[in-house]
Amino acid sequence: MRTAEIKRRFLAHFESNGHTLVPSAPLPALGDPNLLFINAGMVQFAPYFTGQVTPPFTRAASVQKCFRTPDIDEVGKTTRHGTFFQMNGNFSFGDYFKEGAISLAWELVTRPQSEGGYGFDEARLWASVYVEDDEAFSLWRDRIGIPESRIIKLGMGPNFWSMGIPGPCGPCSEILIDRGPEYGPDYDISSGEEPDGDRYLEFWNLVFMQYERGPGTGKTDFPILGELPAKNIDTGMGLERVSALLQGVDNLYEIDEVLPILDRAAELTGKRYGTAGSHLATESSPDDVRLRLIADHVRSGLMLIGDGVTPSNEGRGYVLRRVLRRAIRAIRLLGYEKPAFPHLFPVARDCMTPSYPELAAEYDRITSYAYAEEETFLATLRQGTVILDMAIDETKRSGVATLSGDKAFALHDTYGFPIDLTLEIAAEQGLSVDQEGFRRLMAEQRQRAKADAVARKTGHADLSAYREVLDRRGVSEFTGYSELTRESQVRALLSESGSLSGVAEGEEVEVVLDVTPFYAEGGGQQPDTGKITVGGGELEVFDVQQPLPGLIIHRAKVVRGEVRLGETGLAEIDVRRRAAISRSHTATHLVHQTMRNFLGESATQAGSLNAPGRLRFDFNTPSAVPPSVLADVEHQINEVLLGDLEVHAFVTSLEEARKLGAIALFGEKYGDEVRVVEVGDYARELCGGTHVTRSGQLGLVKLLSESSIGSGVRRVEALVGMDAFGFLATEHLLVSRLAELFRVPADQVADRVEHTVAQLREAQKELAQLRAQLVVGGAARLAAEARDVAGVRYVATEAPEGTGGNDVRTLAQEIRGRLEQGRPGVAAVAVRAGGKLSLVVAVNRSARDDGLSAKDLVKAALSGRGGGSDDVAQGGGLPADQVLKVLSTVENLVAKVATAGHRE
Ligand code: ATP
Ligand code: MG
């Protein structure tokens, strides 16, 4: 039975039993700051379970796309874990409970396939229950008829569920299937242990939300406060596990949605899957494990990018990057060194589009990220592997078995070489890695970044003081879309030590007003500044933040008098600054829309900064934007300005906004009501920022630069209004001045500069030749003055201070070449430069035959600081005033070696 059919039957079964079918939420867990990805079907229903929101239905069913970051490392170690997988679930919100959940599941699992069920053989099915859940135990035994010998009682660890925080919790009950002795040992039910997961495969978990729990840590350490008034059901059936069972294949990676990718990878790398080792995860051949990993990770990559995740160095983007990179490395380990994704992604797409048709439309965007990631990572691998190999060599040579945390961190920090890869490669070489040291360095780095960010955004890192103000005083109303000044009342005064009732002149404070025209930094828009005059005092506002939704904090200094809680007065923003920021914000919308016009819909915003007179716009696109396109973008934007379009903001429903084609940002969370900003009919975007009223007010937009800020993300910077004008005017002056200096008309300056640079290069070349001739000329004279040192023709000289390294070397070689043939000869040339000396020694053939080596001479004279060959060697680094001493050391050594040679 194909996976798509298993999914269809699941939904049909629950729909016919009164469940509302709910589509899968996207993989990124946007609503939960503690979760990167949705990892279970219940996540999108969590607000219903916790009682924060009243559910619109009492029964629901879904097939949820899931991604479990911790299971990345399971792929290969077991054969029942994927990174991406689909969880089929049915949910009851205060409706049916244990008996309903158990019978509904059992019915679908055991109903014959000819009647729309899965047709599992009842004799092979087992159930597990929480050890104290007698109710579930009896239901399985008496209602369903599973013999006691196949009902496993397990403790809280495996069979008790909670969300890790105070709220609903309760026992679980799982349905397992015995896959037979070829998958592992028989289970001893009296052991109280969990059975082997690959033999007794769990494929459906039923959670009975029965109790309310209190605070505590871990899976077991919390108090149960009592029974929930309305009990809920949450279940999860692993779609891939059921597919593997119903398709009669061995594991998750061999089902219809995955195997074609595996086969293609095997074909590319010339491997034959499943011909060595056994099917058990622990006894599989390494090649098989790698093929499974590739298939799993490629599919996950497709699904993650499909849901808007892009590779980056933190958060979700990092998890994606890790998955893609693991796949790339596995392919390389199988011997295929060229880009493989262009061969694998099309197969993954064909596997997944039957269930997720939207992937077809998104495919170009998806692969542009995946392929770019593969290209960059292959380059990183080429570079990093060399450096890692050196580090490993060095570590081994020093007789240590652990690669230092510093080295691992440097590889990560400087070369983007991921730690898990360092671990893997080091392990292959029999080394461990000081992970603790690495983590400490990473944590230190992260801590620095975080402390900076927090200190910049809000006075204090701890939000509890803010929450209290919000709870007690309610939200602050923002009126700044239409007003620049506002009568308002001081609701709270906060300092680092807590709430204040008054502040005196000279002090800094955080002020909360009931109503305010001040815009808090957000959506890339810089905060307003301005002043607040209350009672007998005046505050200068230098920053405005919104640490919690609805709470606007004015960070200000009392510049005159005193300010007291409860007083009313006037809040006034700096109008010029606001106008300049608003121009930048409108300009950002125009840049965004115009980029999309030229580069396609996928050029979406990834970040922005709207500051007075200038903006920064980051967007997703796989490669550099050519200068000609940038010029066209700039041209089109300025045409829109001349069109003097009306800029208009309005509030509407999210659905209506989508219908109007408003651009919504990926990863942004929107409520049902959204604010839309449109610039005529040209650009329409969801936005909470402030804008001009007509595009003509922008005056001028000048794009300054375009650069990469990470793989797949580019940045443009631009100036707006008078700042753009000022920039162009300055450039104009500069060109005029150059034209004057070069005495040509402005439009010929570039040609003239090019010409002058070419002439200069030519002159430098001639100069170098002349210098070389001089050196060589000097060589003949110096060779003629050679002295005899223990039978060796010896020349020692100091070249003029500052003579270049190459010239010194040439001089030494030229002198040597001019010494009498057939007799041992040595030339030593020293030079001073920048307070240090360097030394080159050249030794002729016959001297080498006598045991003299240039390398040994240099190393001995400079205490090891040099290198080269027996023939010519160089070194340096000692203070310049030791030149004579160094040269005499060389001479003494020559004498010593030569004398020893004669004696032999
Ligand atoms: P296991 O102990 O096997 O890791 P689990 O206890 O983590 O499973 P649940 O959190 O109860 O699993 O998830 C419900 C169902 O989702 C499981 O019964 C299983 O069928 C499926 N499932 C869980 N993790 C994975 C995974 N990594 N890949 C595929 N299916 C999974
Ligand atoms: Mg698990």
Side-chain angles (χ1 to χ4, degrees):
M1 198 184 297
R2 300 193 68 82
T3 303
E5 174 62 14
I6 297 170
K7 171 174 163 177
R8 196 196 61 73
R9 287 186 183 203
F10 182 90
L11 293 173
H13 172 67
F14 285 100
E15 189 174 33
S16 70
N17 280 291
H19 292 66
T20 302
L21 302 189
V22 179
S24 172
L27 283 165
L30 299 175
D32 186 341
N34 299 315
L35 201 60
L36 289 179
F37 298 107
I38 304 266
N39 59 4
M42 64 79 58
V43 176
Q44 68 163 324
F45 302 115
Y48 302 154
F49 288 130
T50 54
Q52 282 171 313
V53 177
T54 314
F57 30 63
T58 54
R59 297 178 175 203
S62 67
V63 175
Q64 175 65 49
K65 295 181 263 189
C66 295
F67 186 95
R68 290 194 176 177
T69 315
D71 285 349
I72 293 180
D73 298 310
E74 297 297 317
V75 175
K77 285 194 201 137
T78 81
T79 58
R80 61 181 199 281
H81 289 98
T83 48
F84 167 83
F85 68 98
Q86 298 154 86
M87 196 185 285
N88 296 14
N90 57 292
F91 308 90
S92 151
F93 309 100
D95 189 31
Y96 60 82
F97 199 48
K98 288 183 194 175
E99 174 165 11
I102 289 176
S103 345
L104 280 167
W106 189 255
E107 210 182 300
L108 177 62
V109 167
T110 57
R111 193 192 307 145
Q113 294 194 0
S114 55
E115 291 165 34
Y118 296 153
F120 280 107
D121 174 8
E122 292 189 24
R124 289 167 58 205
L125 294 174
W126 290 54
S128 77
V129 297
Y130 172 53
V131 60
E132 288 172 24
D133 191 357
D134 298 336
E135 189 186 353
F137 187 89
S138 326
L139 282 167
W140 283 118
R141 186 187 55 194
D142 307 332
R143 171 87 171 68
I144 302 294
I146 299 190
E148 278 185 18
S149 58
R150 296 210 310 267
I151 308 177
I152 308 169
K153 291 183 175 175
L154 293 171
M156 259 183 128
N159 272 14
F160 200 90
W161 174 92
S162 94
M163 284 198 273
I165 47 169
C169 66
C172 314
S173 178
E174 301 165 335
I175 308 179
L176 304 84
I177 188 158
D178 178 2
R179 306 179 73 198
E182 67 269 32
Y183 286 91
D186 283 349
Y187 176 60
D188 172 11
I189 199 160
S190 62
S191 68
E193 312 253 309
E194 278 182 76
D196 176 87
D198 272 343
R199 167 155 179 191
Y200 298 90
L201 181 72
E202 167 203 338
F203 62 91
W204 202 337
N205 188 9
L206 316 176
V207 178
F208 310 131
M209 287 185 211
Q210 185 168 5
Y211 307 108
E212 165 110 36
R213 60 159 276 189
T217 50
K219 289 199 77 174
T220 54
D221 191 15
F222 47 80
I224 302 289
L225 305 177
E227 296 251 340
L228 284 173
K231 300 188 177 50
N232 305 313
I233 288 295
D234 151 32
T235 87
M237 182 192 98
L239 181 55
E240 284 78 2
R241 292 192 187 173
V242 173
S243 290
L245 292 167
L246 292 184
Q247 292 172 12
V249 297
D250 208 73
N251 56 59
L252 293 196
Y253 323 104
E254 296 174 14
I255 67 168
D256 57 342
E257 284 185 349
V258 187
L259 186 65
I261 314 171
L262 190 156
D263 282 342
R264 186 77 186 94
E267 195 183 316
L268 272 185
T269 55
K271 301 288 175 193
R272 290 181 54 215
Y273 178 69
T275 48
S278 104
H279 60 115
L280 291 180
T282 46
E283 293 164 15
S284 295
S285 80
D287 284 357
D288 283 0
V289 172
R290 286 184 183 131
L291 287 169
R292 289 176 191 150
L293 182 148
I294 295 165
D296 173 85
H297 285 17
V298 164
R299 182 169 86 132
S300 294
L302 174 86
M303 298 307 292
L304 286 172
I305 308 177
D307 273 356
V309 184
T310 54
S312 76
N313 280 336
E314 55 182 29
R316 301 186 179 99
Y318 181 68
V319 175
L320 168 65
R321 170 160 282 171
R322 183 161 173 232
V323 163
L324 293 177
R325 292 183 163 191
R326 275 169 56 101
I328 296 163
R329 200 170 121 71
I331 296 161
R332 268 176 68 101
L333 287 173
L334 290 176
Y336 189 79
E337 308 224 326
K338 284 181 286 188
F341 283 177
H343 302 284
L344 300 174
F345 269 73
V347 184
R349 174 198 55 198
D350 296 345
C351 287
M352 297 310 288
T353 33
S355 281
Y356 303 95
E358 66 275 14
L359 290 172
E362 293 285 302
Y363 186 66
D364 286 344
R365 180 181 64 79
I366 297 174
T367 49
S368 65
Y369 284 109
Y371 298 172
E373 182 68 13
E374 184 171 39
E375 298 280 345
T376 26
F377 188 54
L378 287 177
T380 303
L381 271 180
R382 278 189 292 271
Q383 203 188 36
T385 314
V386 173
I387 290 158
L388 177 58
D389 285 348
M390 273 161 48
I392 288 176
D393 260 9
E394 206 178 296
T395 309
K396 279 186 171 168
R397 257 188 287 118
S398 62
V400 185
T402 310
L403 191 75
S404 74
D406 291 5
K407 287 209 171 88
F409 180 73
L411 269 161
H412 173 88
D413 205 41
T414 324
Y415 303 99
F417 211 66
I419 179 68
D420 39 287
L421 208 60
T422 304
L423 287 174
E424 259 177 57
I425 297 180
E428 283 161 18
Q429 300 275 335
L431 287 186
S432 61
V433 177
D434 174 14
Q435 289 193 61
E436 205 172 298
F438 172 81
R439 256 184 254 116
R440 199 189 55 244
L441 291 166
M442 283 295 282
E444 279 170 20
Q445 191 192 42
R446 221 174 287 129
Q447 199 54 42
R448 278 194 297 275
K450 206 150 120 203
D452 283 358
V454 169
R456 213 168 40 80
K457 295 274 177 217
T458 54
H460 3 213
D462 177 10
L463 291 180
S464 58
Y466 294 131
R467 179 153 312 279
E468 208 179 300
V469 174
L470 192 61
D471 288 348
R472 254 183 321 124
R473 309 279 175 201
V475 300
S476 345
E477 189 190 343
F478 172 66
T479 58
Y481 290 133
S482 53
E483 295 180 333
L484 305 173
T485 61
R486 177 72 193 201
E487 281 291 336
S488 48
Q489 188 187 27
V490 177
R491 280 270 182 83
L493 294 166
L494 293 169
S495 76
E496 286 196 13
S497 50
S499 272
L500 307 172
S501 55
V503 214
E505 189 169 320
E507 285 176 30
E508 283 190 9
V509 65
E510 296 184 346
V511 186
V512 180
L513 301 174
D514 57 343
V515 203
T516 180
F518 281 85
Y519 183 86
E521 180 174 353
Q525 182 173 332
Q526 291 282 286
D528 283 325
T529 60
K531 67 176 178 184
I532 305 173
T533 328
V534 273
E538 185 181 317
L539 289 150
E540 201 176 273
V541 178
F542 54 84
D543 186 16
V544 186
Q545 294 291 334
Q546 190 162 182
L548 293 170
L551 183 69
I552 299 170
I553 297 284
H554 307 75
R555 303 179 67 199
K557 181 170 179 170
V558 183
V559 289
R560 191 170 53 75
E562 196 195 22
V563 174
R564 306 203 62 79
L565 197 63
E567 283 177 335
T568 53
L570 193 66
E572 302 166 79
I573 65 168
D574 177 339
V575 180
R576 284 175 66 96
R577 176 182 157 93
R578 160 68 81 78
I581 292 176
S582 299
R583 282 196 290 271
S584 293
H585 203 153
T586 307
T588 297
H589 285 208
L590 295 178
V591 172
H592 189 181
Q593 181 59 49
T594 312
M595 284 294 178
R596 289 165 72 110
N597 294 350
F598 282 90
L599 302 174
E601 294 281 291
S602 63
T604 49
Q605 177 167 338
S608 68
L609 172 76
N610 306 297
R614 71 192 166 88
L615 68 91
R616 208 166 64 200
F617 178 70
D618 301 339
F619 58 109
N620 299 307
T621 200
S623 51
V625 184
S628 63
V629 173
L630 285 178
D632 288 345
V633 166
E634 189 176 67
H635 188 95
Q636 191 166 96
I637 293 172
N638 282 289
E639 261 175 7
V640 173
L641 305 194
L642 286 184
D644 198 24
L645 305 178
E646 190 186 341
V647 181
H648 169 63
F650 57 98
V651 173
T652 182
S653 69
L654 184 57
E655 202 189 321
E656 189 57 29
R658 287 233 159 89
K659 269 195 218 136
L660 289 170
I663 304 175
L665 299 187
F666 245 133
E668 220 27 69
K669 213 175 153 223
Y670 297 106
D672 296 336
E673 292 257 284
V674 292
R675 184 166 179 266
V676 178
V677 174
E678 56 185 19
V679 184
D681 213 20
Y682 185 78
R684 196 170 279 122
E685 190 166 325
L686 302 193
C687 176
T690 67
H691 290 266
V692 299
T693 52
R694 301 198 72 89
S695 67
Q697 290 163 359
L698 268 51
L700 183 66
V701 173
K702 174 77 198 131
L703 299 190
L704 293 182
S705 62
E706 191 266 1
S707 58
S708 164
I709 55 161
S711 97
V713 187
R714 313 286 308 178
R715 165 172 292 178
V716 287
E717 297 189 52
L719 296 175
V720 186
M722 284 312 283
D723 291 82
F725 172 78
F727 174 82
L728 292 176
T730 312
E731 293 231 311
H732 176 72
L733 272 182
L734 186 70
V735 174
S736 306
R737 173 120 178 79
L738 286 171
E740 218 177 284
L741 287 170
F742 283 107
R743 295 178 209 289
V744 290
D747 62 353
Q748 288 173 24
V749 166
D751 286 345
R752 178 51 68 93
V753 170
E754 199 178 354
H755 184 68
T756 311
V757 169
Q759 274 181 333
L760 197 63
R761 264 204 211 107
E762 203 49 44
Q764 278 168 341
K765 230 193 260 163
E766 269 172 42
L767 197 64
Q769 275 163 4
L770 286 172
R771 240 187 5 226
Q773 280 168 19
L774 262 175
V775 166
V776 175
R781 183 177 47 79
L782 288 163
E785 291 166 9
R787 289 184 290 123
D788 189 291
V789 175
V792 176
R793 302 298 292 157
Y794 179 70
V795 176
T797 184
E798 188 184 340
E801 177 153 5
T803 306
N806 278 335
D807 291 342
V808 175
R809 196 178 157 93
T810 311
L811 179 58
Q813 284 168 308
E814 289 293 335
I815 297 173
R816 177 187 63 183
R818 282 170 171 71
L819 293 173
E820 221 170 304
Q821 299 278 319
R823 278 189 63 184
V826 172
V829 183
V831 67
R832 308 172 200 236
K836 293 270 154 55
L837 70 82
S838 39
L839 171 72
V840 176
V841 173
V843 173
N844 75 5
R845 178 59 168 278
S846 128
R848 291 203 297 278
D849 290 344
D850 284 354
L852 282 158
S853 149
K855 188 166 71 182
D856 293 350
L857 290 172
V858 166
K859 283 200 160 172
L862 299 174
S863 335
R865 271 174 261 203
S869 61
D870 291 341
D871 180 14
V872 189
Q874 61 282 314
L878 294 180
D881 57 11
Q882 294 189 23
V883 165
L884 292 178
K885 196 175 135 207
V886 164
L887 286 175
S888 82
T889 316
V890 175
E891 181 170 341
N892 291 341
L893 282 166
V894 169
K896 210 157 113 193
V897 176
T899 319
H902 300 322
R903 253 186 261 123
E904 265 168 27

